[in-house]
Amino acid sequence: TARCKSCGLMISRDIEAIEEHMIECIGSNSRKSIAISTSYPKSPNNRPKSMLFDGNTLTSGVNNMKLYGITRKPELEKYGTRIIYRTARSQSKVYAPREVCALQDAFMDNDGTCYIYEVSVRHCDVRGMPGYVTADILLLMHVAKPHPTNPNMCNITIISQIDTRVQGPQWLLSFITEESNGLGNNITSLRKEDLIRELKQCGNLQDILNDDTSNPDSESKVNLDDFDLLAVLGRGGFGKVMQVRHRLTNEVYAMKILKKTELRRRRQVERTHTERTILAAVRHPFIVCLHYAFQNSTKLYMVMDFVQGGDFFTLMRKFKRLPEDWVRLYVAEIALALQHLHDMEIVYRDLKPENILLDSDGHIKLTDFGLSRYFETRPPATEDIVGEENDILTRSFCGTEQYMSPEMLLQQGHNYRMDWWCLGLLMHEMITSKHPFQGPSHYDTLRNMVTKAPNIDNRITTSAHAVVKNFLIKNPKTRLCCKDGINELK
């Protein structure tokens, strides 16, 4: 809900309901009534006189020659002008909340370039709220230039200059460069909806953001404001993972926040795109699910299952040797997840304890698909389809060396069969807490993986010994589960 500034009533945030209320609320009050019927291009009817709350943004549009002392050029009169009022409040009581009042205008150049800009104003009908510190927008401009070859796309340039009136605090400065950290709407940036509306009205640029903005059920509607940020779960070189709660559903998720600059600098853009594509395509009880994905100018956000049981590496370090009954369950669940990926022509390639999570019920979930190969999105080259069975190979060298298969270490080309080798290594480590090819050095371990038979602990049961041995066959075609899939494991 939003509070009406004239009568104080709480109103639903549905725009139509708010406009109807505001017409009734201030339509008969001559002092507060503003000539704000805005003329929109390509529209037969002007919008009704109104003042609009869009979230916590107050807007009004005018088409008269003077906007409270600001003279407009006649040629600009066919474009909409508004007074925008925004607020932002910190979760900390130490810092006073901020408010911004700005004039928003839009016009088009002769070449079709559309300009939407905001500058701070002092508006006679927008009264400051008690306890709020006023910040000024010296200039905020979005310039949308039509794409030279695609009329349905454009290039957007954003120019921003803000006077915060303070050297801090950090939560306010974060509105300029960082995510809003759960503080509400960014007080110094145009709303995406405003930008889309203005560009649609002012020009023939229907797909300026290259997504389905007309579909109310589109995931593009989800943004950071839809989540409460609860805690930091971990940090890394590319960003961080946070525990968040969806405000509408109260569901708790894990949000991976990645810095675009770091992804580009470390050449991880393709890896991140691969992970996002696979997670969006896969739905399986033993694989982490991607629920939402969105981005802003500086960061990528992936909202996934919050798996609160920790990772398998921590479990193995705590218990050392796991009971075989546990191992039987974990191996079965991992095998089901791998089989599902293979059925979708996905080679996982990074099976290791750190990439296996445990949920609250003790079941596993595979995560981190950045090194996976998805043949549907990247078909193999002709020379990578070999043999009478038309085996599809990929020749990348990636992953963690001590969990690689011999064919990858020797760079002979590999496919889904390498995942079953990795499962055999992992199974042996679960039961014995030792690598089956362990040598005195890392190099010796890798050499043993290529040249020697596995050193399987004699203390494990006969059935477990047979499974590990058949997983760790160096010939991929005779390896367990490499002919008839998971049926061979039953």
Side-chain angles (χ1 to χ4, degrees), residues 284 287 331-346 348 366 416 419-420 423 480-490:
H284 192 272
I287 298 175
V331 169
E333 293 182 349
I334 295 171
L336 287 169
L338 291 177
Q339 185 65 56
H340 181 70
L341 294 174
H342 298 164
D343 291 342
M344 296 183 65
E345 297 187 341
I346 298 171
Y348 186 39
L366 296 187
Y416 69 93
D419 288 335
W420 298 117
L423 182 55
L480 183 64
C481 294
C482 291
K483 291 183 179 179
D484 195 23
I486 199 174
N487 292 326
E488 299 177 32
L489 197 58
K490 294 179 180 178

Side-chain angles (χ1 to χ4, degrees), residues 142-387:
H142 287 64
V143 182
K145 187 177 183 64
H147 195 278
T149 59
N150 189 340
N152 293 323
M153 297 180 63
C154 67
N155 299 318
I156 297 179
T157 302
I158 302 175
I159 304 169
S160 178
Q161 188 178 16
I162 178 176
D163 173 20
T164 63
R165 299 290 180 90
V166 289
Q167 297 300 316
Q170 188 61 41
W171 70 265
L172 176 63
L173 299 180
S174 70
F175 284 133
I176 306 173
T177 58
E178 301 290 334
E179 65 270 19
S180 63
N181 295 321
L183 303 176
N185 295 308
N186 187 329
I187 62 173
T188 60
S189 69
L190 280 169
R191 286 173 173 267
K192 179 179 175 180
E193 294 81 3
D194 287 346
L195 183 62
I196 295 171
R197 182 195 64 242
E198 291 295 341
L199 291 175
K200 282 185 177 181
Q201 296 293 346
C202 294
N204 187 25
L205 302 171
Q206 301 299 314
D207 299 320
I208 60 168
L209 297 182
N210 197 24
D211 60 18
D212 186 13
T213 56
S214 62
N215 183 1
D217 298 325
S218 174
E219 286 189 0
S220 63
K221 292 292 184 181
V222 178
N223 56 51
L224 197 61
D225 293 337
D226 295 314
F227 299 91
D228 292 321
L229 308 182
L230 303 179
V232 177
L233 300 176
R235 297 181 184 272
F238 303 115
K240 57 189 173 184
V241 179
M242 299 196 68
Q243 182 187 27
V244 300
R245 179 186 293 112
H246 195 281
R247 292 179 176 176
L248 182 62
T249 65
N250 283 327
E251 291 288 334
V252 176
Y253 299 107
M255 177 185 287
K256 182 184 287 190
I257 305 173
L258 303 173
K259 301 175 184 176
K260 291 183 178 180
T261 54
E262 287 299 309
L263 294 176
R264 286 191 288 264
R265 186 175 70 85
R266 302 190 188 189
R267 299 179 180 179
Q268 297 294 313
V269 175
E270 183 178 355
R271 173 177 175 173
T272 304
H273 185 266
T274 297
E275 180 173 26
R276 193 262 183 213
T277 302
I278 292 175
L279 287 175
V282 173
R283 288 292 183 271
H284 192 272
F286 301 137
I287 298 175
V288 166
C289 177
L290 177 70
H291 296 274
Y292 307 100
F294 52 93
Q295 61 179 306
N296 58 24
S297 59
T298 60
K299 290 184 174 64
L300 302 176
Y301 302 87
M302 290 193 290
V303 181
M304 300 175 286
D305 290 333
F306 173 57
V307 188
Q308 56 188 338
D311 61 36
F312 217 80
F313 179 81
T314 304
L315 179 76
M316 292 171 61
R317 186 171 57 180
K318 178 180 179 181
F319 289 96
K320 304 297 181 183
R321 298 177 179 176
L322 303 182
E324 285 195 18
D325 288 342
W326 295 14
V327 174
R328 187 181 297 110
L329 174 65
Y330 293 141
V331 169
E333 293 182 349
I334 295 171
L336 287 169
L338 291 177
Q339 185 65 56
H340 181 70
L341 294 174
H342 298 164
D343 291 342
M344 296 183 65
E345 297 187 341
I346 298 171
V347 186
Y348 186 39
R349 300 201 297 196
D350 201 18
L351 183 63
K352 59 182 180 180
E354 293 87 341
N355 289 342
I356 303 172
L357 304 179
L358 292 167
D359 66 14
S360 57
D361 296 324
H363 297 290
I364 68 99
K365 285 186 180 289
L366 296 187
T367 186
D368 195 348
F369 290 83
L371 298 181
S372 301
R373 175 65 186 269
Y374 193 5
F375 286 107
E376 182 175 315
T377 58
R378 287 179 57 202
T382 304
E383 59 270 21
D384 290 334
I385 303 177
V386 298

Side-chain angles (χ1 to χ4, degrees), residues 436-448:
F437 297 95
Q438 188 66 48
S441 68
H442 179 67
Y443 173 78
D444 291 325
T445 299
L446 299 184
R447 184 174 59 183
N448 293 343

Side-chain angles (χ1 to χ4, degrees), residues 87-92 95-98 129 132 171 175 182-184:
T87 63
R89 179 182 294 274
S90 172
Q91 293 177 341
S92 171
Y95 304 114
R98 262 52 177 178
M129 298 178 64
Y132 278 68
W171 70 265
F175 284 133
L183 303 176

Side-chain angles (χ1 to χ4, degrees), residues 393-451:
L393 301 180
T394 179
R395 303 183 187 276
S396 305
F397 187 84
C398 58
T400 305
E401 288 182 335
Q402 68 186 49
Y403 290 100
M404 288 182 181
S405 63
E407 58 266 31
M408 177 179 276
L409 287 171
L410 296 173
Q411 300 187 48
Q412 296 173 340
H414 60 274
N415 54 21
Y416 69 93
R417 296 185 177 101
M418 71 162 293
D419 288 335
W420 298 117
W421 167 279
C422 298
L423 182 55
L425 292 176
L426 184 61
M427 180 178 175
H428 189 273
E429 284 194 340
M430 289 183 197
I431 302 174
T432 68
S433 75
K434 293 181 180 179
H435 195 286
F437 297 95
Q438 188 66 48
S441 68
H442 179 67
Y443 173 78
D444 291 325
T445 299
L446 299 184
R447 184 174 59 183
N448 293 343
M449 292 168 64
V450 174
T451 61

